[in-house]
Amino acid sequence: RASALGEAYVAQVDDGFAGYWNPGAMAFNRKTQFASMYSNWFGEIFYDMYYFHAAGNQYIDGVGNLGVNFTYMTYGSQDKTDENGETIYSFESYDLSIATTYASQITSNIGLGTTFKFILSDLDPEATKGLGLSYAFDIGYKQKNIFTVPNLAFGFNLQNIGPDIVYLDDSNADPLPMNFRMGFSFIPVNSQLSKLTINADMNKVLANRDPLYKRFFTAWIDDNTYADFDSFNNFINSTEIREIVWSLGAEYDYLNLLSLRGGYILDRAGEIKGPSFGAGFHYELNEYLVKIDYSFQPAGGLQDYNQTLSVGVDF
């Protein structure tokens, strides 16, 4: 769903994926929700490179929402060779995280949430120092009817707040990709037959070598030069502005049965831009709502589109 919307989802998310996209949005969930997604990342080139995510949350009256999620990314099989190019052994690099979320509705319109995640990155299972470990927090916020405008929501999620991840030794530690994501979601049409939602997001990775408490501020400006402010053109093409990823998305839902989605993502630093699109099918079975979604998202220079499948159930 989020991929089809160009990743403009932080203020709309209302399904089992809220623990990742915005834990603050999970505060408004009143159902038990499970969801999982799979993408054969760059599948046209690397058949064994894929991404998998599974999540769930449960509302407990008087306590709030509790959630868990699991993320796994494998980079496929690779060969370690000697100086003569002969294969010594084959190995598989992967990253994974296991996370828990707590969210609470502060007022009728405001939800807050936090996700704690354990992170493991295994570059080479056969190597003695190919394993990296760390942990991180996410902080999410969602407000409905912002600016007293009905059906207008605002959300933000500050992701991966944590210490550097260490592979070899502390001097070679790498900062986690701390990320700031914010956006708006507006519902101009909401009737018994149909619903239209329009989203707009921005996100920026806040990663540099500064201590964590400084990185919140310096990662927005450390790549700026005086020349960046000489003209508007220089400013919008500066390194810091080019690192901001912009997303737009729209979703049309008919009878809570069929959803059509489209979006656009502009990631100038990553050289990924273009339209995204997808569809979803929802089926009610007694008290269960089963959701199946499929999407195509721009993949950059290696291939035209990545494809993502997700399945969820609410009850």
Side-chain angles (χ1 to χ4, degrees):
R1 188 180 182 190
S3 298
L5 295 169
E7 297 190 358
Y9 201 44
V10 68
Q12 181 190 6
V13 58
D14 56 4
D15 52 28
F17 297 119
Y20 172 81
W21 285 98
N22 184 356
M26 185 187 288
F28 297 98
N29 294 347
R30 291 297 180 269
K31 296 181 178 179
T32 300
Q33 298 177 312
F34 294 99
S36 65
M37 60 83 66
Y38 171 86
S39 180
N40 188 191
W41 211 238
F42 300 114
E44 295 178 10
I45 304 170
F46 308 108
Y47 72 94
D48 57 352
M49 180 176 176
Y50 64 88
Y51 178 93
F52 176 78
H53 180 80
N57 69 78
Q58 171 70 58
Y59 173 72
I60 302 175
D61 191 27
V63 176
N65 280 275
L66 301 178
V68 295
N69 68 70
F70 170 85
T71 305
Y72 178 77
M73 176 76 183
T74 176
Y75 302 99
S77 178
Q78 303 170 68
D79 294 329
K80 182 173 182 177
T81 60
D82 59 21
E83 63 272 16
N84 297 317
E86 298 294 330
T87 299
I88 302 174
Y89 60 83
S90 296
F91 64 95
E92 181 178 299
S93 300
Y94 65 91
D95 296 329
L96 69 83
S97 75
I98 301 171
T100 60
T101 299
Y102 172 73
S104 179
Q105 190 172 338
I106 306 304
T107 70
S108 60
N109 288 326
I110 294 177
L112 291 174
T114 184
T115 295
F116 173 79
K117 63 188 76 172
F118 168 77
I119 301 166
L120 183 150
S121 179
D122 200 347
L123 302 181
D124 181 356
E126 299 293 332
T128 56
K129 293 188 177 181
L131 183 67
L133 300 173
S134 190
Y135 61 89
F137 294 89
D138 299 349
I139 299 174
Y141 172 91
K142 179 173 179 176
Q143 182 173 349
K144 296 183 176 181
N145 302 323
I146 193 168
F147 307 131
T148 67
V149 178
N151 299 322
L152 177 63
F154 168 77
F156 79 79
N157 189 11
L158 185 58
Q159 299 171 294
N160 301 323
I161 309 167
D164 295 349
I165 189 166
V166 179
Y167 291 98
L168 297 174
D169 52 56
D170 290 341
S171 64
N172 290 301
D174 294 305
L176 294 177
M178 187 166 67
N179 185 65
F180 178 77
R181 184 188 303 273
M182 62 168 282
F184 293 88
S185 180
F186 180 57
I187 305 174
V189 177
N190 191 5
S191 68
Q192 288 184 332
L193 289 177
S194 60
K195 180 179 179 181
L196 176 65
T197 306
I198 301 172
N199 301 334
D201 278 22
M202 63 149 284
N203 73 274
K204 189 178 190 303
V205 175
L206 308 179
N208 59 30
R209 295 290 178 179
D210 288 342
L212 182 62
Y213 70 93
K214 289 185 177 181
R215 202 178 304 163
F216 290 102
F217 308 99
T218 59
W220 291 92
I221 60 174
D222 56 350
D223 289 326
N224 282 128
T225 66
Y226 289 111
D228 290 335
F229 300 96
D230 286 346
S231 67
F232 179 73
N233 185 65
N234 283 5
F235 177 72
I236 64 173
N237 287 291
S238 64
T239 299
E240 293 292 356
I241 299 300
R242 288 179 64 86
E243 287 177 351
I244 298 175
V245 180
W246 305 93
S247 302
L248 293 173
E251 177 183 69
Y252 176 75
D253 187 77
Y254 180 70
L255 289 177
N256 198 29
L257 176 67
L258 178 67
S259 296
L260 300 178
R261 307 181 182 104
Y264 190 89
I265 186 168
L266 177 61
D267 178 1
R268 293 189 291 170
E271 298 182 354
I272 298 174
K273 64 179 180 179
S276 57
F277 51 94
F281 175 74
H282 316 145
Y283 181 73
E284 289 193 36
L285 181 64
N286 297 324
E287 74 271 24
Y288 297 92
L289 177 63
V290 179
K291 300 180 286 186
I292 301 173
D293 300 291
Y294 202 82
S295 70
F296 295 81
Q297 184 181 28
L302 290 179
Q303 66 182 43
D304 291 334
Y305 287 94
N306 285 317
Q307 301 176 49
T308 300
L309 170 70
S310 69
V311 178
V313 58
D314 298 356
F315 59 93

